[in-house]
Amino acid sequence: MTESKVEDTFNAIRSMEVRGAGRIARAAAEALREAAVSSRAKTPAQLVAELTRYGERLKESRPTAVSLPNSVNFVLTGAHRELRRGVGKETLRKRVISLCDDFINRSTNAVTMIGDIGAKRIVSGDLIMTHCNSEAVTQILVTARAQGKDFHVIVTETRPLYQGRITAAVLARNGIEVSLIPDSASRLYMHEVDRVIVGADAIASNGAVINKIGTSMIAVIAHETRTRFYVAAETYKLSPRTLLGDLVEIEERSPREVVSESWMTENPGVKVMNPSFDVTPAEYIDLIITEQGVYPPQGIVFLMKELYPEPVKLALE
Ligand code: RUB
C-alpha cells in the first residue's frame, strides 16, 4: 500500500502528470506523509530506514528541480534527528507527519508571499512576458490583477510540451489580458515588453537560475532591449550543493516529445535532442523574488548560506 503510493507519486512526477518545481516538492512530502501514516515498521529505526528508501526513490523521479531533494531532505533530516534523540516509534511517526505538513504549509504560504511581494513590481499598463508555467509567477500576476491593476501578459507556448498554454488559460480565467506566442516570436515583441517574469527549478550559489529550456534565450533578448528580467522562486529552489561546486543536472527528456515515433523511424540519421532546462547566468537577471524578500542574484548566496548551513559545515569538517 505504502510502497505503491510512493511509486504512484514517482510515476506521476516522472510522467509530468505532476509538474512544476513547487508542486513536485509538495507531492513528495505528501507521499512521505502517507508512507509514515500507513507504515507497518516495528521499530523507530525501521520506520526511518523505510522513509529514507522512499525518499531516495522519489528524488530519482526528475533530476533538475532542487525543490524535490530539498523537500525530501527537510523531512528525512528531521526524522533522523528524532531517531538520534531516541523517541518511540509512534512519536517519530507523528513527528514525520508534522514535518511533511510543515513543508507543505510553508510551500503554499511561500507562493502567497511571493505573490504579494512580486505584485508590487507590476504597474498598470505593463506589458509582461512569461515562459512556461510557474505557480509563483501566476500568483504574482493574479495578485496584481486582484489589486485592480490592468496589464497584458505575453505567454510563450513553451515547446515541446506547451506548458505556456496552461499559463495562458489560467491568466485568462483570472481576468488578465493574455496573448500566446510561439517561443521563436519572443524577440519580435521584446522591445514593447516592460518586464519578463519566470519561475525557477533551481538557483545556484553564483545566482544563475535553472528554468525551462528557452528561459536563457529570453533573458539574453531581454538584456538586449534592457527589459527587466525577474525570477520568482521559493527559497527551497536554492541549491545548497552548488556551494560545494556541484552542478545542477539538466534533464534530457525523450525525443518523442519533439517528433513522432514514425518520423524518427523514417529519419534514422537524425539525432533528436530534448533538454528540458537551461541556465540563465546572474548578469541577465535583475531580481530574484522569494518569500524572504527580493534579492539581486549576486546576493542570493548569503541567503543560501543562512538557510542551508549544513553543506558548508560538512565540507569544513
Ligand atoms: C516547469 C518550469 C517552471 C518551474 C517553476 O517545468 O520550468 O518554470 O518549475 O515552477 P516542467 P513553479 O513543466 O518541466 O516541470 O513556480 O510552479 O515551482
Side-chain angles (χ1 to χ4, degrees):
M1 171 73 179
T2 296
E3 184 117 35
S4 76
K5 166 68 186 170
V6 171
E7 275 313 293
D8 286 352
T9 305
F10 176 93
N11 290 325
I13 295 174
R14 174 154 284 191
S15 67
M16 292 179 61
E17 187 190 316
V18 174
R19 43 148 301 283
R23 287 192 181 88
I24 292 173
R26 290 197 295 277
E30 272 159 26
L32 288 177
R33 186 190 197 284
E34 199 157 319
V37 168
S38 52
S39 170
R40 302 244 171 97
K42 294 199 168 50
T43 64
Q46 265 179 25
L47 177 57
V48 172
E50 210 174 77
L51 293 169
T52 304
R53 187 158 51 82
Y54 294 148
E56 294 308 319
R57 174 73 177 150
L58 289 164
K59 282 186 202 174
E60 287 166 8
S61 54
R62 285 189 80 187
T64 303
V66 76
S67 52
L68 176 59
N70 280 347
S71 149
V72 169
N73 292 344
F74 178 83
V75 176
L76 292 184
T77 308
H80 280 273
R81 198 185 316 118
E82 294 301 307
L83 184 64
R84 281 196 301 275
R85 283 182 52 217
V87 301
K89 190 190 72 188
E90 287 315 311
T91 306
L92 198 128
R93 189 199 303 271
K94 279 193 200 132
R95 184 72 190 115
V96 168
I97 292 168
S98 90
L99 282 164
C100 295
D101 289 340
D102 193 16
F103 182 87
I104 294 164
N105 289 337
R106 282 191 202 202
S107 167
T108 47
N109 290 340
V111 174
T112 307
M113 281 291 290
I114 288 173
D116 293 344
I117 295 172
K120 294 181 191 169
R121 295 292 176 139
I122 312 282
V123 179
S124 269
D126 267 355
L127 181 61
I128 297 160
M129 187 180 282
T130 190
H131 182 57
C132 196
N133 176 246
S134 152
E135 61 176 351
V137 174
T138 303
Q139 186 69 26
I140 291 175
L141 298 172
V142 169
T143 305
R145 183 70 196 107
Q147 292 169 349
K149 294 178 185 171
D150 276 317
F151 51 89
H152 192 111
V153 182
I154 295 180
V155 183
T156 53
E157 281 181 313
T158 317
R159 287 172 188 245
L161 293 183
Y162 301 103
Q163 290 94 327
R165 292 179 185 173
I166 307 171
T167 307
V170 171
L171 296 183
R173 271 204 301 278
N174 280 278
I176 296 170
E177 277 181 37
V178 54
S179 306
L180 187 69
I181 62 165
D183 302 345
S184 46
S186 305
R187 187 164 181 265
L188 188 67
Y189 294 109
M190 190 59 84
H191 68 281
E192 295 170 31
V193 171
D194 296 291
R195 52 201 103 239
V196 177
I197 317 179
V198 297
D201 280 79
I203 300 177
S205 58
N206 63 1
V209 166
I210 295 86
N211 191 51
K212 180 54 55 192
I213 191 74
T215 301
S216 68
M217 179 180 75
I218 294 170
V220 171
I221 298 169
H223 197 67
E224 182 191 34
T225 51
R226 297 174 183 233
T227 305
R228 293 176 195 84
F229 189 93
Y230 303 159
V231 175
E234 307 88 288
T235 52
Y236 50 77
K237 314 268 179 73
L238 301 180
S239 171
R241 297 202 61 87
T242 58
L243 270 173
L244 304 179
D246 286 356
L247 296 173
V248 175
E249 185 183 338
I250 301 293
E251 178 179 12
E252 181 73 33
R253 293 189 63 86
S254 166
R256 280 162 208 81
E257 291 178 353
V258 181
V259 293
S260 65
E261 187 73 52
S262 60
W263 193 94
M264 284 179 70
T265 314
E266 284 159 21
N267 298 279
V270 181
K271 182 181 176 201
V272 179
M273 281 136 88
N274 185 18
S276 201
F277 300 95
D278 65 18
V279 182
T280 302
E283 58 264 36
Y284 294 98
I285 300 165
D286 291 288
L287 286 180
I288 300 181
I289 303 165
T290 78
E291 77 279 14
Q292 305 239 354
V294 166
Y295 282 77
Q298 295 80 2
I300 209 77
V301 66
F302 301 107
L303 183 62
M304 192 180 279
K305 283 176 103 163
E306 189 186 315
L307 297 177
Y308 299 96
E310 283 312 312
V312 184
K313 266 199 258 161
L314 287 175
L316 295 175
E317 269 166 11

